[in-house]
Amino acid sequence: MALVAVQPSNTNDDDKGGQGEDFGKSSPVGLVLLIVFFIAVFFLVKSMNKHIKGLPASFDEPAEVSKETPAEPSATKEKD
């Protein structure tokens, strides 16, 4: 035996499928909010790029220079 559930039919003719009195009124506000978010993200990316350019290429510690290798090459002048 199978039980079949039947939903009562809606005989109200005033139903417009969810498009009531307030339908579509949030769209202009949502558009303005979306544009403001895009502008904020643009300036955030611009600021982050400026800060990233100031970072060093590597955060590794520089290798220690041995005492046998001179730090600066000695300049010898030859006299003519």
Side-chain angles (χ1 to χ4, degrees):
M1 180 190 275
L3 295 175
V4 178
V6 178
Q7 294 181 348
S9 64
N10 189 1
T11 58
N12 188 2
D13 293 334
D14 294 335
D15 186 23
K16 297 178 183 176
Q19 297 183 4
E21 181 182 332
D22 294 330
F23 181 77
K25 290 188 178 179
S26 65
S27 297
V29 175
L31 178 63
V32 169
L33 188 63
L34 189 64
I35 291 172
V36 168
F37 282 140
F38 281 140
I39 292 170
V41 168
F42 172 77
F43 284 111
L44 178 67
V45 169
K46 186 176 176 182
S47 174
M48 289 177 73
N49 281 336
K50 186 173 90 173
H51 282 88
I52 287 175
K53 287 180 183 177
L55 292 177
S58 175
F59 288 104
D60 295 336
E61 295 292 327
E64 292 186 24
V65 179
S66 65
K67 293 181 181 180
E68 297 173 4
T69 308
E72 296 178 9
S74 60
T76 56
K77 293 182 180 179
E78 293 182 22
K79 294 183 180 180
D80 289 331

